[in-house]
DNA sequence: TTTCTTGATGAAATCGCTTTCATAAAAGGT
DNA sequence: ACCTTTTATGAAAGCGATTTCATCAAGAAA
């Protein structure tokens, strides 16, 4: 693969001049410039980003850590990030944490070695303490770091998040307002903060509404379609009695809907359902899913803007706190 | 951020020794080794991937170009690629072509500058000719390149694809076998080869079955949920008469299902539907979508394996031709 | 004792760029 | 005509790693 030296030889100039032409960092005689450009085209020269990054100390990349690119939840976030980062000519280097501690640590080291200019992290398993320790260490000190979906007081200026406890509360409140008294819950993995918060919101709402919290009406699942399917099945296997379920994400809700159909339970006539996230498919399900909306793309955009802002040392005000919002569709019916 | 020099100073050895410890490329006295490792930990040293890549000429990355990470179709592919690449310690650098010519070209240059060790490309808009020209030029000559979803005879050894014409045929055949005579089609953008092939398969099936091809029963849409919604609406606005529709991807089928529900048309009693792709959500729709399955993750895996194989100059035989398969669910009914 | 391995280490070159510094020619000012 | 800018360019240093080559001590072989 040709280097700047090849180009300079071909154009009969020095490498410095080639660099100047390509970067426009200094005036170059227009004849010379033409020769250089011709050589570049002729040799199909593509500058080596490594060499350039090494000397300029700018990698042109932003590191992103999420659990799994392939989940609709995370790809919505990444898409938001991408829409603001791409126009700047920078690129994303995304690594998957797989919701496991060691992979998450690895992803972090891995990304740091690529010398991103900023970091957008959606950490699930790393504890606040370990993360703060890491923050105090060398690499993190100089790097703008944005936290997605986690709030750490020490970093309040760089957290983008949404009140999941409130979201859980709103979901449950809606069901109670619609007359439901026996409300089950399918939660995500309780190792994840989001799950706990939503469960907590559910619980608080029950209790402040004078309904008792019944832990046998709560099943911990895994945020996947299949686990939602199984959880719902389990409720019926156990002969539980309930008229509504708050399900901690739309993917599980989709699975649960499927099980209910198998079981010949009508939604919302027999069972009302509220999901969480408002992923794209939610409105297309049957019945269209009533859910708590998280503006994932917007949150991704906010995180990216925050990161870019930090790079430019500017201080534009960017929304960091997002509110969960109830989206009413067809999966909830007033309980008679 | 600390460099190998800082570590070497701290451990009172030369940079060479630090490098040797970290890479295990030469025997190092165990006392010395301990000192170095302590320094590494103390300084939180992370080697600069740029510098390393520059000298070793190995970037540890594989370039991927797809249209849009956030689409469930593409993220299924990426996920397949990731599952085989990640365990090797390499990483993906994915860039979006956005299904537009210039962005696709840019993505290509952009990625080449990052010096990936192999390329996995799902090109939509770049013509065969332009692509082959590019292949003949410098950067491509030395780089293993895998083509996903496109077959170019000159590159037959590195194409992973699926016969979309056959897929279109199978979908239509199923509807005809079920007694349907008036079969509409919602296609993807006809600028995309996949769309053309599926349309072509649809057409061939009609004609070989003694049904005439009626172009007013074909609407070109955009492979998005919303465009599927609109296309279906248009059929009814135009008062078209048909008992079944073959829809060129599941996302549009999902949109179309929605429109049909709005219109109080029952699926499959009034209208039968066959989709394409068999994305995860297809089985969860109501009615569960009969569709043509593309094993996207497996194709991604195959592409990745092919790329890695090329890197190691090994010759394991890897499946490159995938077959479309009809998955029967609930969205098709025998036409009385 | 002398020579030959072997093991452990450091010095220095190198990868492909950018950037500073130096220099020479051309242009401008008096 | 002389000095000062300005413009255009090249030489060389340096980014942070790896790797080759050289060195040196210590133990083995003769």
């Amino acid at each position: 693969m040709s280097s700047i030296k090849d180009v300079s030889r071909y154009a009969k100039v020095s490498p410095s001049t080639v660099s100047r032409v390509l970067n426009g960092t200094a005036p170059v005689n227009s004849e010379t410039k033409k020769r250089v450009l011709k050589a570049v085209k002729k040799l199909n020269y593509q500058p080596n980003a490594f060499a350039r990054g090494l000397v300029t100390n700018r990698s042109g990349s932003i590191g992103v850590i999420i659990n799994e690119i392939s989940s609709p939840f995370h790809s919505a976030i990444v898409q938001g990030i991408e829409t603001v980062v791409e126009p700047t000519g920078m690129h994303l280097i995304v690594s998957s944490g797989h919701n496991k501690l060691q992979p998450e640590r690895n992803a972090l080291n891995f990304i740091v070695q690529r010398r991103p200019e900023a970091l957008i992290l959606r950490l699930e398993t790393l504890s606040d303490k370990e993360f703060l320790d890491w923050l105090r260490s060398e690499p993190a000190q100089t790097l703008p770091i944005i936290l997605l979906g986690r709030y750490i007081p020490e970093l309040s200026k760089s957290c983008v998040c949404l009140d999941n406890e409130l979201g859980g509360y709103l979901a449950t409140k809606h069901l109670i307002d619609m007359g439901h008294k026996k409300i089950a819950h399918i939660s995500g993995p309780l190792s994840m903060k989001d799950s706990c918060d939503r469960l907590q919101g559910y619980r608080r709402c029950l209790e402040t509404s004078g309904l008792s919290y019944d832990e046998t009406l709560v099943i911990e699942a895994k945020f996947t379609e299949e686990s939602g399917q199984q959880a719902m099945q389990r409720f019926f296997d156990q002969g539980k009695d309930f008229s509504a379920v708050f399900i901690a994400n739309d993917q599980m809700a989709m699975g649960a809907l499927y099980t209910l159909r198998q079981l010949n339970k009508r939604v919302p006539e027999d069972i009302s359902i509220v999901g969480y996230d408002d992923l794209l498919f939610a409105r297309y399900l049957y019945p269209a899913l009533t859910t708590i909306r998280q503006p994932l793309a917007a949150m991704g955009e906010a995180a990216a803007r925050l990161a870019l802002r930090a790079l430019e040392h500017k201080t534009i005000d960017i929304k960091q706190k997002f509110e969960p919002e109830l989206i009413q569709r067809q999966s909830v019916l007033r309980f008679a």
Side-chain angles (χ1 to χ4, degrees), chain A:
Chain A
M1 189 162 296
S2 47
S3 76
I4 199 171
K5 264 193 179 170
D6 300 320
V7 175
S8 74
R9 253 194 304 270
Y10 191 94
K12 300 199 198 310
V13 294
S14 73
S16 335
T17 301
V18 176
S19 171
R20 286 189 271 253
V21 170
L22 261 28
N23 299 302
T25 46
V28 173
N29 179 287
S30 71
E31 275 305 307
T32 321
K33 192 182 284 184
K34 238 181 265 174
R35 279 213 319 283
V36 169
L37 259 14
K38 214 170 85 183
V40 165
K41 181 152 280 177
K42 165 74 182 169
L43 299 178
N44 221 297
Y45 169 68
Q46 297 285 357
N48 183 322
F50 286 2
R52 174 180 272 172
L54 189 55
V55 50
T56 59
N57 204 22
R58 313 200 340 90
S59 62
S61 66
I62 290 187
V64 176
I65 295 186
I66 51 169
N67 265 351
E68 223 70 64
I69 333 175
S70 53
S71 97
F73 177 88
H74 291 98
S75 68
I77 295 175
V78 172
Q79 196 244 354
I81 299 177
E82 203 190 26
T83 55
V84 353
V85 169
E86 203 172 57
T88 69
M90 300 190 74
H91 80 285
L92 260 34
I93 157 164
V94 353
S95 199
S96 302
H98 297 303
N99 203 17
K100 289 186 207 123
L101 187 54
Q102 201 50 50
E104 206 160 283
R105 286 196 188 116
N106 293 344
L108 210 48
N109 288 334
F110 181 87
I111 279 198
V112 167
Q113 297 185 2
R114 264 83 198 157
R115 299 291 189 269
E117 298 180 33
L119 244 34
I120 298 177
L121 306 177
R122 188 180 164 93
L123 265 12
E124 298 291 1
T125 58
L126 219 59
S127 68
D128 278 17
K129 184 186 169 330
E130 181 171 351
F131 179 66
L132 280 170
D133 281 352
W134 180 80
L135 267 187
R136 265 183 273 288
S137 75
E138 263 283 29
Q141 283 296 337
T142 46
L143 213 53
I145 295 181
I146 309 300
L147 243 47
L148 243 168
R150 177 184 293 211
Y151 183 80
I152 298 187
E154 290 89 330
L155 276 176
S156 65
K157 291 281 167 217
S158 11
C159 294
V160 171
C161 50
L162 178 141
D163 189 341
N164 280 292
E165 202 270 352
L166 178 57
Y169 181 90
L170 290 176
T172 315
K173 185 74 168 39
H174 178 58
L175 290 169
I176 293 175
D177 286 348
M178 295 297 274
H180 293 274
K181 301 253 184 291
K182 307 206 168 176
I183 302 173
H185 177 48
I186 298 178
S187 86
L190 293 179
S191 59
M192 296 169 80
K193 184 132 195 313
D194 288 8
S195 307
C196 297
D197 289 350
R198 291 171 204 176
L199 170 60
Q200 179 52 36
Y202 159 79
R203 183 169 184 168
R204 177 169 64 91
C205 186
L206 288 181
E207 290 171 349
T208 60
S209 307
L211 297 173
S212 65
Y213 170 74
D214 175 359
E215 66 175 14
T216 71
L217 278 181
V218 175
I219 291 184
E220 174 181 356
K222 300 178 187 168
F223 272 157
T224 64
E225 293 77 3
E226 220 192 331
S227 74
Q229 231 170 304
Q230 292 163 350
M232 185 57 84
Q233 182 68 54
R234 216 156 91 223
F235 276 135
F236 283 93
D237 289 348
Q238 297 172 347
K240 294 295 174 202
D241 174 33
F242 55 91
S243 66
V245 195
F246 162 42
I247 304 182
N249 80 354
D250 289 350
Q251 290 172 264
M252 295 194 296
M254 183 159 82
L257 241 29
Y258 183 82
T259 297
L260 289 169
R261 209 144 51 221
Q262 304 295 306
L263 262 29
N264 280 316
K265 303 285 175 190
R266 292 165 306 162
V267 177
E269 293 81 357
D270 300 328
I271 303 281
S272 284
I273 297 231
V274 176
Y276 204 107
D277 285 345
D278 193 26
L279 297 184
L280 181 60
F281 63 72
R283 80 191 61 190
Y284 293 108
L285 294 175
Y286 180 76
L289 190 65
T290 290
T291 192
I292 301 293
R293 175 167 170 74
Q294 279 200 83
L296 295 172
M299 290 170 75
E301 287 172 33
R305 261 192 269 276
L306 227 40
L308 293 177
R309 180 193 78 164
L311 281 182
E312 300 160 356
H313 305 288
K314 280 191 200 155
T315 21
I316 314 146
D317 233 338
I318 290 163
K319 184 171 184 182
Q320 298 178 225
K321 282 263 187 195
F322 288 78
E323 271 92 50
E325 180 195 358
L326 175 73
I327 305 289
Q328 294 196 42
R329 288 200 270 249
Q330 323 288 334
S331 62
V332 174
L333 194 68
R334 179 164 294 280
F335 186 68

